[in-house]
Amino acid sequence: MFAVENGLQGDPRLKAISDAIRVIPHFPKTGIMFQDITTLLLDPVAFKHVVDIFVDRYEHMNISLVAGVEARGFIFGPPIALAIGAKFIPLRKPGKLPGKVISEEYELEYGRDRLEMSVEAVKSDERALVIDDLVATGGTLSASISLLERAGAEVVECACVVGLPKFKGQCKLKGKPLYVLVEPSQFDELTTL
Ligand SMILES: O=P(O)(O)OC[C@H]1O[C@H](OP(=O)(O)OP(=O)(O)O)[C@H](O)[C@@H]1O
Ligand SMILES: Nc1ncnc2[nH]cnc12
């Protein structure tokens, strides 16, 4: 893995994070190089580096709301939210949230999926951060931005641990900044899910 343009070039924590992410060829389908963050979770030093880097970046940005994308955004979002004193909102796959929800469809490489959010969770004029483990096409994060904006929040930034190379050079999603810690080498990534 290589570091991306994130203002942390030369920071040894990025290598520790990269090294802790396992790459599984041809999972879950032939041709996909799966970036497995579950091995990062087995390494408390590297896992803490991820949380520390995001907390350092966001603690003084007046963020009141951290939204995490099901499922892997639920791992990284809550510790960041707690450390910066923001609430955590889960963005869930369809049919999981009770109460009044709004939903957004988005494109996957094959087919479509949908994300839902509890509309009462967001107050107007909140400043939001969206967290996920990985950005591939950006469809999931774009749907997340739309949900939050529809509920009246201002999305300050989206942040992911891994950005796939097809995303190289792209640091905006729906006009919002995207902040990524590491990126697999070309060798590590054949395609996305
Ligand atoms: O940038 P994109 O092309 O939208 O892809 C990125 C999304 O894909 C993965 O989740 P997935 O939909 O596989 O769900 P999971 O976390 O429940 O496995 C990943 O955790 C991101 O949420
Ligand atoms: N290559 C990949 N590894 C892990 N999660 C993904 N989501 C989309 N593409 C992925």
Side-chain angles (χ1 to χ4, degrees):
M1 295 227 191
F2 297 113
V4 285
E5 283 297 319
N6 52 20
L8 295 171
Q9 279 63 33
D11 187 325
R13 294 177 298 177
L14 295 182
K15 179 169 176 357
I17 293 165
S18 285
D19 288 350
I21 296 171
R22 180 171 58 165
V23 180
I24 308 284
H26 307 298
F27 179 86
K29 293 186 231 168
T30 304
I32 290 166
M33 295 300 258
F34 189 78
Q35 311 296 313
D36 180 18
I37 56 88
T38 64
T39 47
L40 171 71
L41 309 177
L42 302 176
D43 179 341
V45 173
F47 187 11
K48 187 167 186 303
H49 288 334
V50 170
V51 175
D52 288 348
I53 290 169
F54 286 140
V55 170
D56 282 351
R57 181 170 177 84
Y58 297 115
E59 65 186 341
H60 301 302
M61 285 200 196
N62 204 21
I63 286 163
S64 59
L65 178 176
V66 174
V69 183
E70 184 169 357
R72 293 169 250 164
F74 292 2
I75 297 167
F76 298 102
I80 296 163
L82 286 174
I84 69 173
K87 64 181 167 190
F88 178 77
I89 298 184
L91 306 182
R92 298 217 59 181
K93 302 279 165 74
K96 303 284 188 184
L97 288 171
K100 190 172 173 209
V101 299
I102 53 175
S103 74
E104 279 284 330
E105 274 207 344
Y106 56 97
E107 297 275 349
L108 295 169
E109 205 155 354
Y110 305 108
R112 298 181 73 77
D113 207 344
R114 195 151 49 92
L115 271 184
E116 294 184 344
M117 185 182 76
S118 290
V119 75
E120 289 100 350
V122 181
K123 309 246 182 321
S124 59
D125 300 328
E126 288 210 78
R127 284 170 58 80
L129 167 67
V130 184
I131 299 279
D132 205 351
D133 68 320
L134 176 143
V135 55
T137 66
T140 306
L141 290 177
S142 295
S144 305
I145 294 168
S146 296
L147 285 172
L148 288 158
E149 289 184 336
R150 282 171 58 196
E154 179 194 346
V155 176
V156 176
E157 190 156 272
C158 297
C160 290
V161 182
V162 183
L164 294 192
K166 73 161 59 163
F167 231 79
K168 207 178 181 104
Q170 187 168 342
C171 55
K172 295 260 179 189
L173 274 175
K174 288 175 70 74
K176 300 297 175 184
L178 170 66
Y179 187 72
V180 164
L181 298 186
V182 297
E183 164 174 286
S185 68
Q186 288 299 111
F187 178 77
D188 285 343
E189 199 257 344
L190 299 175
T191 185
T192 64
L193 292 184

